[in-house]
């Protein structure tokens, strides 16, 4: 399709160039010469601003990810001790699974600019071993380590 368009356009411009019935049109160069530097600076500033915003977002994502990894390492180091009871080890593995789910949802919500859904919150509560939240309930149950 593009090839056909280019051939038609090329044929038309060659016909107009060799046909003396059509006048030759010329545009003055002064408006282009005056506006080109301004447009160039505008594009540079917009590009720099976009890059700065991307860089700030990228830094925030890496900060969150590195903190999750740090918690993972600490938890795995604690769980690898032979003195940790089996039930506590299983709970730690479930916590790691829940954190992986949460990290994925957090990054998706951040990058897309969407809030998390109620379904995701319910799944996270199940993954953390918390009771499901009742409608209209306060949903207590903080936890600390």
């Amino acid at each position: 399709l593009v090839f056909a368009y280019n051939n038609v356009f090329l044929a038309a411009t060659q016909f107009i160039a060799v046909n003396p019935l059509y006048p030759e049109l010329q545009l003055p160069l002064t408006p282009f010469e005056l506006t080109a530097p301004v447009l160039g600076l505008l594009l540079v500033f917009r590009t720099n601003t976009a890059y700065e915003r991307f860089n700030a977002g990228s830094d925030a994502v890496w900060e969150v990810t590195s903190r999750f990894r740090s918690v993972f390492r600490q938890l795995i180091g604690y769980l690898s001790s032979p003195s940790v009871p089996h039930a506590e080890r299983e709970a730690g593995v479930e916590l790691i699974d829940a954190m992986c789910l949460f990290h994925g949802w957090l990054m998706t919500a951040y990058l897309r600019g969407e809030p998390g859904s109620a379904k995701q919150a319910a799944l996270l509560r199940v993954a953390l071993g918390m009771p499901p939240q009742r409608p209209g309930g306060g949903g207590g149950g903080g936890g600390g380590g």
Side-chain angles (χ1 to χ4, degrees), residues 25-145:
L25 298 175
Q26 289 186 350
L27 293 173
L29 293 178
T30 306
F32 299 105
E33 290 174 350
L34 294 176
T35 58
V38 174
L39 288 175
L41 286 174
L42 178 68
L43 288 173
V44 166
F45 288 137
R46 284 185 56 95
T47 303
N48 285 345
T49 303
Y51 179 72
E52 287 171 4
R53 289 179 61 207
F54 171 78
N55 220 7
S58 179
D59 289 345
V61 167
W62 277 110
E63 179 69 25
V64 169
T65 302
S66 68
R67 295 213 180 184
F68 267 93
R69 287 179 182 170
S70 176
V71 170
F72 286 157
R73 278 198 251 16
Q74 292 173 4
L75 193 55
I76 289 170
Y78 171 74
L79 294 176
S80 65
S81 172
S83 64
V84 174
H86 182 69
E88 195 170 332
R89 185 170 290 137
E90 285 181 5
V93 169
E94 289 177 5
L95 180 61
I96 290 174
D97 289 342
M99 287 178 62
C100 288
L101 280 173
F102 182 67
H103 181 265
W105 290 335
L106 181 69
M107 290 296 110
T108 301
Y110 175 76
L111 293 174
R112 291 183 182 170
E114 302 171 348
S117 70
K119 184 178 180 181
Q120 289 176 341
L123 284 173
L124 185 60
R125 290 182 71 82
V126 169
L128 287 171
M130 299 171 70
Q133 188 173 10
R134 293 185 183 98

